[in-house]
């Protein structure tokens, strides 16, 4: 954990979902391979399944942008069918119970809430997926609000976080996430950014500009307790 002196205790914390709270690959990778099997069977895609790294490296983007990276040569119809299939397969996977949060996530969130911190989620994912993860892993009751680009049709996480802050009249928050979109969303809304350096989906430079970095989710509680 890199602790930067001068951090102030926030009234709220806003969390990204994938790569921050949720070990996305535990759900995504089985669904990813099934998705391409179905796309090929339906005639929407030909050839080998794109490398997993292409999908994992795109996490944090809006879904429509992910497919442009993962299968840029495919048609718009294939991209939209992939939207439907991925959501369906991920919801089925959540029901199967094999996916995982990062170690200590639920306990850390409970401890922060017990100390009076207001907790939120802001994700670029689809509404049913983001809320499905929270329900499946029994953390939904800990959040005052769960916001997704899929629900609010926002063009970027900057806009999504702006809506959240305004709606809940929050002045001072920590934006907690693992991608450059999280850093941008926090900084463009004049909030503190805590970068999560443990997921490994993005490049190291993505978290440049964070006010502090944590290498384990449980470090967040200590960072909060040591803040002024």
């Amino acid at each position: 954990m890199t602790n930067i002196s001068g951090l102030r205790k926030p009234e709220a914390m806003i969390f990204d979902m994938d790569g921050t709270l949720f070990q996305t690959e535990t759900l995504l990778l089985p669904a990813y391979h099934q998705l391409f099997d179905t796309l090929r069977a339906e005639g929407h895609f030909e050839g080998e399944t794109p490398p997993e790294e292409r999908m994992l490296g795109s996490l944090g983007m809006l879904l429509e942008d992910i497919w442009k990276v993962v299968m840029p040569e495919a048609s718009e119809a294939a991209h939209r069918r992939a939207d439907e299939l991925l959501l369906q397969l991920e919801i089925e996977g959540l029901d199967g119970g094999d996916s995982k949060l990062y170690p200590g996530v639920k306990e850390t969130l409970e401890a922060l809430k017990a100390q009076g911190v207001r907790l939120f989620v802001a994700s670029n994912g689809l509404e049913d997926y983001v809320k499905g993860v929270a329900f499946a892993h029994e953390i939904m009751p800990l959040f005052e609000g769960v916001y997704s680009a899929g629900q609010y049709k926002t063009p970027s996480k900057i806009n999504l976080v702006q809506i959240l802050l305004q709606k809940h009249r929050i002045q001072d928050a920590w934006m907690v996430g693992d991608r450059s979109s999280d850093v941008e969303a926090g900084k463009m809304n004049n909030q503190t950014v805590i970068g999560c350096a443990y997921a490994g989906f993005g490049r190291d430079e993505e978290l440049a500009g964070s006010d502090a970095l944590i290498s384990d989710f449980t470090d967040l509680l200590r960072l909060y307790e040591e803040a002024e």
Side-chain angles (χ1 to χ4, degrees), residues 158-178:
I158 296 169
N159 307 98
L160 187 64
V161 171
Q162 181 183 36
I163 291 169
L164 189 161
L165 293 170
Q166 290 176 346
K167 184 172 180 179
H168 296 274
R169 299 182 180 181
I170 296 167
Q171 299 296 320
D172 188 14
W174 285 4
M175 180 70 221
V176 184
D178 71 308

Side-chain angles (χ1 to χ4, degrees), residues 14-20 59-60 122-124 157-158 161 174-189 191-196 206-207 210:
I14 304 168
F15 298 93
D16 174 48
M17 180 62 82
D18 291 322
T20 300
L59 293 176
S123 168
N124 273 339
K157 188 169 284 190
I158 296 169
V161 171
W174 285 4
M175 180 70 221
V176 184
D178 71 308
R179 303 307 295 264
S180 58
S181 57
D182 300 306
V183 179
E184 292 166 358
K187 289 302 175 183
M188 292 299 289
N189 284 291
Q191 304 301 323
T192 298
V193 175
I194 310 300
C196 300
E206 284 206 54
L207 294 176
S210 299

Side-chain angles (χ1 to χ4, degrees), residues 44 71-80:
H44 286 296
M71 46 175 175
E73 71 287 353
S75 67
E76 182 69 18
H79 289 180
R80 300 291 71 80

Side-chain angles (χ1 to χ4, degrees), residues 32 36 50-51 54-55 58 65-73:
Y32 181 72
F36 277 95
R54 199 180 292 180
M55 184 70 178
S58 302
D65 295 325
I66 288 178
W67 300 128
K68 292 174 185 177
V69 172
V70 172
M71 46 175 175
E73 71 287 353

Side-chain angles (χ1 to χ4, degrees), residues 6 30 50 59 68 71 84-86 152 187 194 202 205 208 212 225:
L59 293 176
K68 292 174 185 177
M71 46 175 175
E84 298 171 356
L85 285 169
L86 185 62
Y152 288 89
K187 289 302 175 183
I194 310 300
E205 60 266 26
E225 291 173 343

